[in-house]
Amino acid sequence: MPHINAAAALQICVLLSALPAQYFISQWYGTDSVQRIQITERLIIASWSSFTKSYLSLDAWADRLKLWLSKTRTCLNVGLLILHFRNWYYGEKRTKIDDNEAETHSYFAESSHVRSPKPEYIQFSVGQVIVHKRFGYSGVIVGWDVKAKAPEEWLRHRYPPAKQDLKDTPHYRILINKANEFGKSTAYIAEEEITIIMGLEVVHHPDMKAYFSGYDGSKYIMQPWLKKIYPHD
């Protein structure tokens, strides 16, 4: 089978395209053979010129490349803009969530902020066993704040106008002894409402081991993570 190179293939395409062209020319311009040949030649020359300008010209391909790069650059810029907006939106959202979580965990002596130095007016320490003066339940101290840190709604409910000054006094977070059957597992109370019990080792609460590793005869021994927060207790 003979090999057809690109030039031969191009010539065949041109000849084949001339056949339908001649047919339409005969329909439009009559049947004069000389006229048809001239018109056919002009059409072929015009088609070839248009083809070379569109597909065989370096300038034409350069223009196509510029157009493609321009579209690609536009799409890339739009994509980067969308990506930046997405990162900003979810970053802002995540930051707000983190801020809210951090604020929530700063309430009720749950903040991981290191309490150092310890103010002299803080009478009690983490690990000491206490009893509530009014309600009579016992428990163990697991944290303290130099003054009440709680949501405003909680503070308004807890301290009516006559007791507003208690908000600025030390507050303690307590794990309540389950043996008292008090109904609550934790409490956050002002210093003036509690007193220390010496020599009472047994405090039943499911979270005791998370906070303490043992008892030294006077107070519970803090776990290392808790000791870092209250180094002077």
Side-chain angles (χ1 to χ4, degrees), residues 23-197:
Y23 172 76
F24 287 113
I25 290 169
S26 66
Q27 297 297 316
W28 295 339
Y29 298 100
T31 57
D32 184 79
S33 60
V34 176
Q35 188 180 21
R36 289 200 302 271
I37 291 172
Q38 291 176 348
I39 294 174
T40 300
E41 289 177 349
R42 286 199 295 270
L43 285 174
I44 292 173
I45 292 171
S47 299
W48 176 253
S49 176
S50 176
F51 176 81
T52 55
K53 289 180 180 179
S54 299
Y55 298 99
L56 301 182
S57 170
L58 292 177
D59 292 336
W61 283 106
D63 292 338
R64 286 190 179 88
L65 181 60
K66 290 179 181 178
L67 180 60
W68 179 80
L69 289 175
S70 177
K71 291 181 178 179
T72 302
R73 191 180 301 111
T74 301
C75 292
L76 181 60
N77 290 338
V78 171
L80 289 174
L81 183 61
I82 292 173
L83 180 61
H84 284 314
F85 176 78
R86 181 181 180 277
N87 290 340
W88 170 82
Y89 174 77
Y90 286 105
E92 288 289 314
K93 187 176 181 180
R94 183 67 254 175
T95 299
K96 290 179 180 178
I97 292 174
D98 291 341
D99 289 344
N100 290 336
E101 289 179 351
E103 183 179 4
T104 299
H105 285 87
S106 69
Y107 294 150
F108 306 114
E110 290 187 296
S111 172
S112 60
H113 172 70
V114 177
R115 311 304 202 275
S116 179
K118 182 178 181 178
E120 294 182 358
Y121 55 83
I122 302 292
Q123 297 184 33
F124 308 135
S125 300
V126 174
Q128 287 185 309
V129 179
I130 63 92
V131 64
H132 195 284
K133 294 178 180 178
R134 187 155 51 100
F135 296 125
Y137 63 76
S138 62
V140 59
I141 298 173
V142 294
W144 51 259
D145 291 318
V146 294
K147 65 179 182 178
K149 289 187 177 181
E152 287 298 325
E153 184 178 354
W154 186 91
L155 290 171
R156 285 196 300 268
H157 177 74
R158 183 63 180 272
Y159 298 116
K163 293 186 176 182
Q164 285 293 302
D165 56 336
L166 286 178
K167 294 191 300 183
D168 296 324
T169 63
H171 277 62
Y172 297 82
R173 180 174 178 82
I174 310 297
L175 297 184
I176 298 176
N177 191 353
K178 289 295 184 181
N180 299 151
E181 298 181 353
F182 183 66
K184 292 174 61 177
S185 62
T186 62
Y188 187 64
I189 50 185
E191 188 173 83
E192 72 166 28
E193 296 180 296
I194 61 176
T195 188
I196 297 299
I197 300 176

